[in-house]
Amino acid sequence: RFDLSPRLGLAFRLRPSMVLRIAWGRYHQPIDLMSIPIEAGVTKAGASEVATHYIFGVESSNISSAIGSLSLKAELYLKDFDHLVGEVQDFGRKSQMLMYPNQGAAFGGDVFISYLISNRLTTSLGYAYGHAQAEVNGMPYDRDYDQRHSVTANLNWRIKDGLHLNTSWRFHSGLPYTEIHPESVFAQGRLIDCRASYGKVNALRLPDYQSLDLRLTRSKRDRKLSLNWYVQILNLYNHSNVHEYALDKARDPKTDQLINCDTRAEPPFPILPMLGIEAAF
């Protein structure tokens, strides 16, 4: 068996600094052995997964203003998915929950603006909207990466040759998650274990995510050696983001006896300073 993955792209130059792009593609992804959902009783690889893409975009560069030069890029997309195989929805401290979608769709768009204020100072701003769903037996649900609103703002300052300071602020609306219901397991009147049951798949949303990152980079190059080092601080104002909600087993610190079953928010890293060095000979 074989698949054809045709694609077509057209570009129209409307003005010297503006290009309009239209693209279509039908992509096949063969199902490898590790992706066959054998836990659902499937033992053979079926037809390839299929994604059909429709994309419309516009680019405009070197738009001059009173103090600098601006570039803009915008894009809209629609993607249809078919012949999907099983996927693991939940990782981390939660029990794994397997879903077997057969089709889905995603649509959205993004706008990215870059502004060259001077030969030493550049700023950029990006916004993206995305909606991704899949279906299981005709029942739709939001996929894990269904990220409705995203904003990124960057400022890059070339202090001098080989020395750069970059700041980046990132925001996105909360990702979908499946609610966990903690259940207590008793034996002979004692709490011996906690287990989880789940609500509707990805029906709830995590809190919005945001982070301000700062990075200072020093570069030095000659014919024999390229040396880069950086100092970086992630989540500079230590915003309390949530990575996931997980089952929490509370224990008595003296006896180690299980005393309660609950859920708790699992955060990603808090404010995190980093130092890195890269050398190439």
Side-chain angles (χ1 to χ4, degrees):
R1 295 181 295 179
F2 65 90
D3 294 307
L4 294 177
S5 295
R7 63 199 71 181
L8 174 67
L10 299 174
F12 305 92
R13 187 172 297 278
L14 303 180
R15 292 189 299 184
S17 62
M18 181 176 291
V19 177
L20 181 70
R21 300 184 186 277
I22 301 174
W24 170 88
R26 185 172 174 85
Y27 302 87
H28 292 80
Q29 177 173 290
I31 301 173
D32 61 87
L33 293 178
M34 297 302 294
S35 297
I36 299 176
I38 57 174
E39 63 279 351
V42 180
T43 58
K44 294 182 180 180
S48 299
E49 294 181 299
V50 182
T52 304
H53 295 214
Y54 306 88
I55 301 174
F56 172 84
V58 61
E59 298 176 22
S60 186
S61 59
N62 298 323
I63 304 173
S64 298
S65 69
I67 61 172
S69 177
L70 183 144
S71 297
L72 180 145
K73 181 178 180 179
E75 191 171 85
L76 296 174
Y77 65 85
L78 171 65
K79 302 178 182 181
D80 289 321
F81 307 105
D82 204 359
H83 301 155
L84 300 179
V85 298
E87 62 180 14
V88 177
Q89 286 290 325
D90 290 317
F91 291 97
R93 288 167 49 84
K94 295 178 286 186
S95 301
Q96 293 186 0
M97 181 176 61
L98 304 179
M99 295 296 297
Y100 308 103
N102 42 41
Q103 60 185 5
F107 64 88
D110 56 73
V111 178
F112 183 80
I113 300 173
S114 178
Y115 193 49
L116 180 64
I117 300 174
S118 70
N119 60 355
R120 291 185 179 273
L121 192 62
T122 304
T123 185
S124 62
L125 178 66
Y127 168 79
Y129 173 87
H131 183 31
Q133 283 192 325
E135 290 187 8
V136 179
N137 299 324
M139 297 295 293
Y141 68 94
D142 292 335
R143 305 190 79 170
D144 287 352
Y145 53 85
D146 180 77
Q147 190 166 286
R148 299 298 174 88
H149 303 283
S150 303
V151 178
T152 303
N154 298 287
L155 180 66
N156 185 276
W157 177 27
R158 182 166 64 88
I159 302 173
K160 62 180 182 179
D161 290 344
L163 184 62
H164 292 256
L165 178 65
N166 179 265
T167 59
S168 177
W169 182 75
R170 295 171 293 147
F171 166 90
H172 66 73
S173 53
L175 295 172
Y177 77 96
T178 303
E179 186 178 13
I180 298 177
H181 302 292
E183 298 179 353
S184 302
V185 180
F186 291 90
Q188 298 180 352
R190 294 179 57 191
L191 180 60
I192 62 170
D193 199 8
C194 301
R195 62 189 179 191
S197 61
Y198 297 92
K200 186 178 179 181
V201 176
N202 283 353
L204 300 180
R205 292 273 168 172
L206 296 174
D208 295 342
Y209 173 93
Q210 57 178 285
S211 177
L212 176 64
D213 305 332
L214 180 69
R215 178 168 174 148
L216 181 67
T217 305
R218 182 75 169 93
S219 302
K220 185 178 181 180
R221 294 179 177 85
D222 57 33
R223 288 184 296 178
K224 295 183 178 181
L225 175 66
S226 174
L227 183 64
N228 299 313
W229 64 262
Y230 66 86
V231 177
Q232 182 170 330
I233 303 177
L234 302 179
N235 197 7
L236 187 62
Y237 53 84
N238 200 26
H239 183 74
S240 298
N241 296 304
V242 176
H243 173 64
E244 67 178 12
Y245 293 103
L247 186 65
D248 182 42
K249 300 180 180 182
R251 296 182 178 273
D252 188 306
K254 295 182 179 179
T255 64
D256 200 39
Q257 174 65 38
L258 194 61
I259 57 175
N260 190 40
C261 300
D262 204 348
T263 58
R264 70 175 182 182
E266 294 282 348
F269 287 116
I271 182 172
L272 180 65
M274 302 175 65
L275 174 65
I277 301 176
E278 180 183 274
F281 300 91

